[in-house]
Amino acid sequence: MQRDEIGGFAEDGSPVIGRITSFTPGTMPEAHAHWRGQLAWCPDRPVTVETGCRLHLLSPGMAIWLPPTHRHRIRAEGARKSVNLYTRPAAAPLPKDPTPFPLEALEAELLRALAGSSRADRQEPAFARLTAVLWDRLARPAPAPTLHLPADPRLRRIALAHLDGVGHSLDHWAAALALSRRSLQRLVRRDTGQSWATWMRDLRLARAIAPLMAGKSVQHAAHAAGYATASGFVAAFHAAHGITPGQLQRRMEI
């Protein structure tokens, strides 16, 4: 049988194949795609899911649908468990684009049970009925925070590094990319519509979203974003997003 090495399952022709996998930071896959569509859920910590020029930030109460052959990368701070369903093309009545979905208690238990099923389980009529119930329950997208990544691969490299907490100066990146300071500033303005300083502020603030979704304190999130005080962080967050960090946390309670 053909094997999906990253998904860790053998292709057996079933409409849906479940898989539960654990990853440590050093083993999280780079950007990749599957022939099957993937419904992915990390129940133990927030994750970021990179899909082209978009970065989805998901709380443990959300899963994300990744259509067949759509390149993506899922990352987390620390080890994570991945609960997945891999579907044949057209086997799931889900959107054509990557889409987050909220998981209430029933959907979470259905996904966990189906992902932990064996090949023999998948032959049972009950498996198809449970899968149909799950698709019916996933009727509305989740209001997940999404960041737009630059189209230019050089700027995307900078953005992802800063989101990973590796913050460098304008001079550092200009040298690393063999550009002048002014050329890099023009590139940022053309691609993002922002100045270098404003873009850096937004990337710093984005580092705080995962701790907030994990239920950490505003002080903890401020530290993750590099702010010396919680009040300065709250003011910057509100100016950038129009809501306070606390309001974001309440919105993300699924």
Side-chain angles (χ1 to χ4, degrees), residues 167-239:
H168 291 302
S169 67
L170 173 63
D171 288 333
H172 170 92
W173 283 114
L177 299 173
L179 296 170
S180 69
R181 283 172 53 94
R182 186 167 296 179
S183 293
L184 180 52
Q185 288 172 317
R186 283 199 297 263
L187 182 61
V188 170
R189 175 70 71 178
R190 184 171 65 245
D191 201 309
T192 71
Q194 297 176 303
S195 68
W196 173 268
T198 302
W199 189 44
M200 288 297 103
R201 180 207 65 181
D202 287 354
L203 290 174
R204 287 176 63 199
L205 291 172
R207 294 206 301 266
I209 294 179
L212 290 171
M213 290 193 300
K216 302 293 185 181
S217 68
V218 171
Q219 183 67 51
H220 181 101
H223 178 74
Y227 282 81
T229 66
S231 59
F233 164 67
V234 171
F237 194 96
H238 186 271

Side-chain angles (χ1 to χ4, degrees), residues 53-84:
C53 290
R54 305 187 78 184
L55 190 74
H56 306 268
L57 299 105
L58 306 183
S59 74
M62 289 181 285
I64 187 167
W65 165 246
L66 300 163
T69 71
H70 199 104
R71 284 182 64 79
H72 59 274
R73 186 185 182 193
I74 303 175
R75 291 184 289 183
E77 294 183 4
R80 68 177 174 90
K81 179 182 290 185
S82 186
V83 180
N84 303 288

Side-chain angles (χ1 to χ4, degrees), residues 1-75:
M1 287 184 221
Q2 182 181 1
R3 185 172 181 81
D4 187 307
E5 295 299 335
I6 293 178
F9 62 88
E11 180 57 65
D12 63 6
S14 300
V16 175
I17 296 176
R19 179 76 174 168
I20 300 176
T21 309
S22 295
F23 294 101
T24 60
T27 63
M28 294 185 194
E30 294 295 325
H32 62 279
H34 305 282
W35 174 78
R36 287 173 172 259
Q38 178 183 6
L39 182 65
W41 174 41
C42 178
D44 46 7
R45 66 178 65 250
V47 294
T48 60
V49 185
E50 182 185 344
T51 61
C53 290
R54 305 187 78 184
L55 190 74
H56 306 268
L57 299 105
L58 306 183
S59 74
M62 289 181 285
I64 187 167
W65 165 246
L66 300 163
T69 71
H70 199 104
R71 284 182 64 79
H72 59 274
R73 186 185 182 193
I74 303 175
R75 291 184 289 183

